[in-house]
Short mmCIF file of all heavy atoms in Angstrom, two decimals:
data_model
loop_
_atom_site.label_atom_id
_atom_site.label_comp_id
_atom_site.label_asym_id
_atom_site.label_seq_id
_atom_site.Cartn_x
_atom_site.Cartn_y
_atom_site.Cartn_z
N ILE A 437 -0.82 -17.97 6.44
CA ILE A 437 -0.69 -16.75 5.64
C ILE A 437 -1.43 -16.92 4.31
O ILE A 437 -2.20 -16.04 3.89
CB ILE A 437 0.79 -16.39 5.39
CG1 ILE A 437 1.45 -15.96 6.69
CG2 ILE A 437 0.91 -15.30 4.32
CD1 ILE A 437 2.97 -15.84 6.60
N ALA A 438 -1.22 -18.07 3.66
CA ALA A 438 -1.87 -18.33 2.36
C ALA A 438 -3.39 -18.34 2.50
O ALA A 438 -4.10 -17.73 1.69
CB ALA A 438 -1.36 -19.64 1.78
N VAL A 439 -3.88 -19.02 3.52
CA VAL A 439 -5.33 -19.12 3.72
C VAL A 439 -5.93 -17.75 4.05
O VAL A 439 -6.92 -17.33 3.45
CB VAL A 439 -5.68 -20.15 4.83
CG1 VAL A 439 -7.15 -20.07 5.21
CG2 VAL A 439 -5.31 -21.55 4.38
N MET A 440 -5.33 -17.06 5.01
CA MET A 440 -5.87 -15.75 5.43
C MET A 440 -5.79 -14.74 4.29
O MET A 440 -6.74 -13.97 4.07
CB MET A 440 -5.11 -15.24 6.66
CG MET A 440 -5.33 -16.08 7.90
SD MET A 440 -7.01 -16.01 8.53
CE MET A 440 -6.97 -14.45 9.35
N THR A 441 -4.70 -14.74 3.56
CA THR A 441 -4.57 -13.81 2.43
C THR A 441 -5.62 -14.09 1.38
O THR A 441 -6.24 -13.17 0.83
CB THR A 441 -3.15 -13.86 1.84
OG1 THR A 441 -2.21 -13.52 2.87
CG2 THR A 441 -3.00 -12.90 0.68
N ALA A 442 -5.85 -15.37 1.10
CA ALA A 442 -6.88 -15.75 0.11
C ALA A 442 -8.26 -15.27 0.56
O ALA A 442 -9.05 -14.79 -0.25
CB ALA A 442 -6.88 -17.25 -0.10
N LEU A 443 -8.53 -15.37 1.84
CA LEU A 443 -9.82 -14.92 2.36
C LEU A 443 -9.95 -13.39 2.36
O LEU A 443 -11.03 -12.87 2.13
CB LEU A 443 -10.02 -15.43 3.80
CG LEU A 443 -10.22 -16.92 3.99
CD1 LEU A 443 -10.23 -17.28 5.47
CD2 LEU A 443 -11.51 -17.38 3.32
N LEU A 444 -8.85 -12.71 2.58
CA LEU A 444 -8.89 -11.26 2.75
C LEU A 444 -8.74 -10.45 1.47
O LEU A 444 -9.34 -9.38 1.33
CB LEU A 444 -7.79 -10.83 3.73
CG LEU A 444 -7.93 -11.30 5.17
CD1 LEU A 444 -6.62 -11.06 5.93
CD2 LEU A 444 -9.09 -10.60 5.85
N GLN A 445 -7.94 -10.92 0.53
CA GLN A 445 -7.51 -10.06 -0.58
C GLN A 445 -8.63 -9.59 -1.49
O GLN A 445 -8.48 -8.57 -2.16
CB GLN A 445 -6.39 -10.70 -1.37
CG GLN A 445 -6.76 -11.93 -2.13
CD GLN A 445 -5.52 -12.59 -2.76
OE1 GLN A 445 -4.41 -12.11 -2.61
NE2 GLN A 445 -5.74 -13.68 -3.45
N SER A 446 -9.76 -10.28 -1.54
CA SER A 446 -10.85 -9.82 -2.39
C SER A 446 -11.54 -8.58 -1.81
O SER A 446 -12.11 -7.79 -2.54
CB SER A 446 -11.88 -10.93 -2.61
OG SER A 446 -12.51 -11.26 -1.39
N ARG A 447 -11.44 -8.41 -0.50
CA ARG A 447 -12.11 -7.29 0.16
C ARG A 447 -11.17 -6.24 0.74
O ARG A 447 -11.59 -5.12 1.01
CB ARG A 447 -12.99 -7.82 1.29
CG ARG A 447 -14.17 -8.64 0.81
CD ARG A 447 -15.08 -9.04 1.93
NE ARG A 447 -15.58 -7.90 2.67
CZ ARG A 447 -16.14 -7.98 3.87
NH1 ARG A 447 -16.26 -9.14 4.47
NH2 ARG A 447 -16.56 -6.90 4.49
N PHE A 448 -9.92 -6.61 0.95
CA PHE A 448 -9.00 -5.72 1.65
C PHE A 448 -7.64 -5.69 0.99
O PHE A 448 -7.23 -6.66 0.35
CB PHE A 448 -8.82 -6.18 3.11
CG PHE A 448 -10.11 -6.34 3.85
CD1 PHE A 448 -10.68 -7.60 4.01
CD2 PHE A 448 -10.77 -5.25 4.38
CE1 PHE A 448 -11.88 -7.76 4.68
CE2 PHE A 448 -11.97 -5.40 5.05
CZ PHE A 448 -12.53 -6.66 5.20
N GLU A 449 -6.93 -4.60 1.20
CA GLU A 449 -5.51 -4.55 0.84
C GLU A 449 -4.78 -5.23 2.00
O GLU A 449 -4.96 -4.84 3.16
CB GLU A 449 -5.05 -3.11 0.70
CG GLU A 449 -3.59 -2.98 0.40
CD GLU A 449 -3.12 -1.53 0.39
OE1 GLU A 449 -3.90 -0.64 0.04
OE2 GLU A 449 -1.96 -1.32 0.77
N VAL A 450 -4.00 -6.25 1.71
CA VAL A 450 -3.35 -7.04 2.76
C VAL A 450 -1.84 -6.82 2.72
O VAL A 450 -1.21 -6.95 1.68
CB VAL A 450 -3.65 -8.55 2.59
CG1 VAL A 450 -2.97 -9.36 3.69
CG2 VAL A 450 -5.15 -8.80 2.57
N THR A 451 -1.28 -6.50 3.89
CA THR A 451 0.17 -6.44 4.07
C THR A 451 0.53 -7.54 5.05
O THR A 451 -0.09 -7.66 6.11
CB THR A 451 0.60 -5.06 4.63
OG1 THR A 451 0.15 -4.03 3.76
CG2 THR A 451 2.11 -4.99 4.79
N GLU A 452 1.52 -8.33 4.72
CA GLU A 452 1.94 -9.45 5.56
C GLU A 452 3.17 -9.07 6.38
O GLU A 452 4.09 -8.43 5.87
CB GLU A 452 2.27 -10.67 4.71
CG GLU A 452 1.11 -11.20 3.91
CD GLU A 452 1.54 -12.26 2.90
OE1 GLU A 452 2.72 -12.70 2.92
OE2 GLU A 452 0.70 -12.63 2.06
N ALA A 453 3.16 -9.53 7.63
CA ALA A 453 4.33 -9.42 8.49
C ALA A 453 4.54 -10.80 9.09
O ALA A 453 3.61 -11.39 9.64
CB ALA A 453 4.10 -8.38 9.58
N ARG A 454 5.75 -11.32 8.99
CA ARG A 454 6.03 -12.71 9.42
C ARG A 454 6.33 -12.87 10.91
O ARG A 454 6.46 -13.99 11.39
CB ARG A 454 7.19 -13.27 8.61
CG ARG A 454 6.90 -13.29 7.13
CD ARG A 454 6.72 -14.66 6.67
NE ARG A 454 6.25 -14.72 5.29
CZ ARG A 454 5.83 -15.82 4.76
NH1 ARG A 454 5.82 -16.92 5.46
NH2 ARG A 454 5.41 -15.83 3.52
N ASN A 455 6.45 -11.77 11.61
CA ASN A 455 6.60 -11.84 13.07
C ASN A 455 6.25 -10.48 13.66
O ASN A 455 6.05 -9.50 12.94
CB ASN A 455 8.02 -12.28 13.48
CG ASN A 455 9.09 -11.29 13.07
OD1 ASN A 455 9.08 -10.14 13.49
ND2 ASN A 455 10.03 -11.75 12.24
N GLY A 456 6.17 -10.44 14.97
CA GLY A 456 5.75 -9.22 15.65
C GLY A 456 6.68 -8.04 15.43
O GLY A 456 6.24 -6.90 15.32
N GLN A 457 7.98 -8.29 15.34
CA GLN A 457 8.93 -7.19 15.14
C GLN A 457 8.73 -6.55 13.77
O GLN A 457 8.78 -5.33 13.64
CB GLN A 457 10.37 -7.67 15.30
CG GLN A 457 11.38 -6.54 15.27
CD GLN A 457 11.13 -5.51 16.37
OE1 GLN A 457 11.11 -5.86 17.55
NE2 GLN A 457 10.91 -4.26 15.99
N VAL A 458 8.52 -7.36 12.75
CA VAL A 458 8.25 -6.82 11.41
C VAL A 458 6.97 -5.99 11.44
O VAL A 458 6.90 -4.92 10.84
CB VAL A 458 8.17 -7.96 10.36
CG1 VAL A 458 7.71 -7.43 9.01
CG2 VAL A 458 9.52 -8.66 10.23
N ALA A 459 5.95 -6.47 12.16
CA ALA A 459 4.69 -5.73 12.27
C ALA A 459 4.91 -4.36 12.92
O ALA A 459 4.40 -3.35 12.43
CB ALA A 459 3.67 -6.54 13.06
N VAL A 460 5.67 -4.34 13.99
CA VAL A 460 5.96 -3.07 14.69
C VAL A 460 6.71 -2.13 13.75
O VAL A 460 6.39 -0.94 13.66
CB VAL A 460 6.75 -3.32 15.99
CG1 VAL A 460 7.26 -2.02 16.58
CG2 VAL A 460 5.89 -4.08 17.00
N ASP A 461 7.69 -2.66 13.03
CA ASP A 461 8.47 -1.84 12.09
C ASP A 461 7.59 -1.28 10.98
O ASP A 461 7.67 -0.09 10.65
CB ASP A 461 9.62 -2.64 11.49
CG ASP A 461 10.68 -3.03 12.52
OD1 ASP A 461 10.69 -2.45 13.63
OD2 ASP A 461 11.48 -3.94 12.21
N LEU A 462 6.73 -2.12 10.39
CA LEU A 462 5.83 -1.66 9.33
C LEU A 462 4.87 -0.60 9.85
O LEU A 462 4.66 0.43 9.21
CB LEU A 462 5.03 -2.84 8.76
CG LEU A 462 5.78 -3.81 7.86
CD1 LEU A 462 4.93 -5.05 7.59
CD2 LEU A 462 6.18 -3.13 6.55
N PHE A 463 4.29 -0.85 11.02
CA PHE A 463 3.34 0.09 11.59
C PHE A 463 4.02 1.42 11.93
O PHE A 463 3.46 2.49 11.66
CB PHE A 463 2.67 -0.48 12.85
CG PHE A 463 1.62 0.44 13.40
CD1 PHE A 463 0.34 0.43 12.87
CD2 PHE A 463 1.92 1.32 14.43
CE1 PHE A 463 -0.63 1.30 13.36
CE2 PHE A 463 0.96 2.18 14.92
CZ PHE A 463 -0.32 2.17 14.39
N SER A 464 5.22 1.37 12.46
CA SER A 464 5.91 2.61 12.85
C SER A 464 6.27 3.47 11.63
O SER A 464 6.31 4.69 11.71
CB SER A 464 7.15 2.32 13.70
OG SER A 464 8.13 1.68 12.94
N ARG A 465 6.52 2.82 10.48
CA ARG A 465 6.84 3.56 9.25
C ARG A 465 5.61 4.17 8.60
O ARG A 465 5.70 5.26 8.03
CB ARG A 465 7.56 2.65 8.25
CG ARG A 465 9.01 2.40 8.59
CD ARG A 465 9.79 1.83 7.42
NE ARG A 465 9.30 0.53 6.97
CZ ARG A 465 9.75 -0.65 7.39
NH1 ARG A 465 10.70 -0.69 8.30
NH2 ARG A 465 9.26 -1.77 6.92
N GLU A 466 4.48 3.47 8.66
CA GLU A 466 3.26 3.94 8.00
C GLU A 466 2.02 3.67 8.86
O GLU A 466 1.15 2.89 8.48
CB GLU A 466 3.06 3.23 6.65
CG GLU A 466 4.07 3.58 5.60
CD GLU A 466 3.69 2.93 4.27
OE1 GLU A 466 4.05 1.75 4.07
OE2 GLU A 466 3.03 3.61 3.47
N PRO A 467 1.89 4.33 10.00
CA PRO A 467 0.76 4.04 10.88
C PRO A 467 -0.60 4.40 10.28
O PRO A 467 -1.60 3.77 10.60
CB PRO A 467 1.05 4.87 12.13
CG PRO A 467 1.95 5.95 11.66
CD PRO A 467 2.75 5.37 10.54
N ALA A 468 -0.64 5.38 9.42
CA ALA A 468 -1.91 5.79 8.82
C ALA A 468 -2.40 4.81 7.76
O ALA A 468 -3.53 4.89 7.32
CB ALA A 468 -1.77 7.19 8.21
N LYS A 469 -1.56 3.88 7.36
CA LYS A 469 -1.92 2.94 6.28
C LYS A 469 -2.93 1.89 6.72
O LYS A 469 -3.76 1.46 5.94
CB LYS A 469 -0.65 2.26 5.76
CG LYS A 469 -0.91 1.23 4.68
CD LYS A 469 0.37 0.61 4.17
CE LYS A 469 0.07 -0.44 3.11
NZ LYS A 469 1.29 -1.02 2.56
N TYR A 470 -2.86 1.47 7.98
CA TYR A 470 -3.59 0.29 8.40
C TYR A 470 -4.90 0.64 9.10
O TYR A 470 -4.95 1.46 10.00
CB TYR A 470 -2.72 -0.57 9.32
CG TYR A 470 -1.42 -0.92 8.64
CD1 TYR A 470 -0.23 -0.32 9.01
CD2 TYR A 470 -1.40 -1.82 7.57
CE1 TYR A 470 0.95 -0.60 8.35
CE2 TYR A 470 -0.22 -2.11 6.91
CZ TYR A 470 0.95 -1.50 7.30
OH TYR A 470 2.12 -1.78 6.64
N ASP A 471 -5.97 -0.04 8.67
CA ASP A 471 -7.29 0.14 9.27
C ASP A 471 -7.56 -0.91 10.35
O ASP A 471 -8.39 -0.70 11.23
CB ASP A 471 -8.38 0.04 8.19
CG ASP A 471 -8.24 1.15 7.17
OD1 ASP A 471 -8.38 2.32 7.55
OD2 ASP A 471 -7.97 0.86 5.99
#
Side-chain angles (χ1 to χ4, degrees):
I437 291 169
V439 170
M440 294 293 282
T441 301
L443 291 173
L444 294 168
Q445 67 187 0
S446 65
R447 293 185 58 196
F448 306 99
E449 177 186 329
V450 180
T451 303
E452 298 170 8
R454 300 251 172 191
N455 64 61
Q457 187 59 57
V458 172
V460 170
D461 294 344
L462 286 169
F463 184 83
S464 68
R465 283 196 298 267
E466 292 186 275
K469 177 179 179 177
Y470 304 106
D471 296 297

